[in-house]
Amino acid sequence: MAYDVRFISQSDVESLGITMGEVIDHVEAGWKMKGEGKVELPAKIGIHPRPDCYIHAMPCWISGDIDMAGIKWVAGFPMNLGKKLPYNNGIFVLNDSETGVVKAIMDCNWMTTWRTGAAAGLGAKYFAAQDASVVAVVGLGTIGKITLRAFNEVLPAMKTVKIYDPIAAQAERYTDRGDEGRLSEGRVCNMQRCKRCMRGCGCHHVMRTDTGSAAQDHHGSNAQEGCMLHRKRL
């Protein structure tokens, strides 16, 4: 018997106009359901066809009123940047939990980026001082940008963003006034050293990679007492 499968592109998802606040709320709801035992989320498995690269399979089922199942198949290949190809790419397959029938196949880049930023925002919401006016972002790629958008959502007192990346061009792109992820009001300070970036901040976001860190691990050194540090390891 035939059935329809919907194909959803990244532009289709972006056209919905989903806000960071909405993503943060849904990520928080998902984590709460996981804590209540309503989510089946096995450890992801992966293959590594080239050094420092991965392709991961990430299945999940959410029970209750949502009752949805799916799997994300996502790849990370750092050398793609030199080939003018995306570092990360992948798809998400959504299944009907009652029949197992595939309902949709969609691009997963948007959801991966925004969910990761929302996770950092949730960390800041509950663990950073709510009057934190200075934050640090170390590692200024796509996730560094979306993280700042999430910080904007949950840290109303934020006025200064201290940034660092060992690749100078990344910092230049990050401070471009056209970047969607930048601070809406206030100032962005491009620091030349990671430790200086971390010093005196109430909230930190640090990107690390398996091939060589965008920032060395400076938790506790030069960080403001009581600050929140969010690490993302690829």
Side-chain angles (χ1 to χ4, degrees):
M1 181 179 296
Y3 62 92
D4 293 330
V5 178
R6 177 169 294 182
F7 290 85
I8 303 173
S9 68
Q10 181 170 332
S11 60
D12 290 334
V13 176
E14 290 172 343
S15 71
L16 298 174
I18 301 170
T19 68
M20 176 54 73
E22 290 175 307
V23 178
I24 289 174
D25 288 345
H26 284 289
V27 170
E28 183 170 7
W31 286 0
K32 183 174 182 290
M33 292 183 71
K34 178 66 168 66
E36 294 170 345
K38 298 177 180 177
V39 175
E40 185 176 358
L41 185 66
K44 61 187 174 185
I45 60 172
I47 56 176
H48 306 84
R50 295 292 184 275
D52 302 318
C53 299
Y54 65 85
I55 305 177
H56 284 162
M58 304 164 68
C60 180
W61 170 55
I62 302 178
S63 64
D65 293 337
I66 297 176
D67 195 21
M68 301 292 284
I71 185 169
K72 184 168 76 169
W73 179 243
V74 61
F77 280 60
M79 76 281 287
N80 279 0
L81 297 177
K83 302 175 182 178
K84 296 184 178 181
L85 292 171
Y87 183 121
N88 293 108
N89 77 100
I91 60 170
F92 185 86
V93 179
L94 188 67
N95 295 81
D96 186 296
S97 296
E98 185 68 30
T99 65
V101 167
V102 174
K103 300 185 70 174
I105 299 173
M106 65 187 80
D107 178 273
C108 77
N109 290 337
W110 186 94
M111 71 175 70
T112 296
T113 299
W114 281 62
R115 189 223 63 91
T116 304
L122 268 178
K125 176 181 177 180
Y126 286 105
F127 298 111
Q130 291 305 293
D131 61 351
S133 61
V134 182
V135 304
V137 178
V138 178
L140 306 176
T142 300
I143 300 303
K145 294 175 183 178
I146 201 67
T147 295
L148 183 54
R149 181 189 285 268
F151 284 171
N152 261 322
E153 196 73 29
V154 300
L155 298 175
M158 184 174 67
K159 294 297 182 184
T160 300
V161 179
K162 299 166 73 174
I163 62 173
Y164 171 78
D165 196 292
I167 302 173
Q170 288 286 77
E172 293 171 4
R173 284 192 287 268
Y174 196 85
T175 55
D176 183 344
R177 291 286 173 182
D179 269 345
E180 294 181 352
R182 56 169 287 102
L183 188 63
S184 57
E185 294 183 5
R187 64 193 182 112
V188 177
C189 302
N190 185 10
M191 312 304 290
Q192 301 304 310
R193 296 183 61 188
C194 182
K195 285 188 177 182
R196 290 180 181 176
C197 184
M198 303 283 278
R199 186 177 296 135
C201 296
C203 187
H204 303 151
H205 173 81
V206 180
M207 288 296 299
R208 300 186 65 188
T209 68
D210 291 328
T211 57
S213 61
Q216 294 300 317
D217 194 352
H218 292 298
H219 189 330
S221 63
N222 301 308
Q224 178 178 315
E225 184 177 355
C227 76
M228 191 282 292
L229 173 65
H230 176 268
R231 282 193 206 85
K232 170 67 177 177
R233 187 177 182 90
L234 299 178

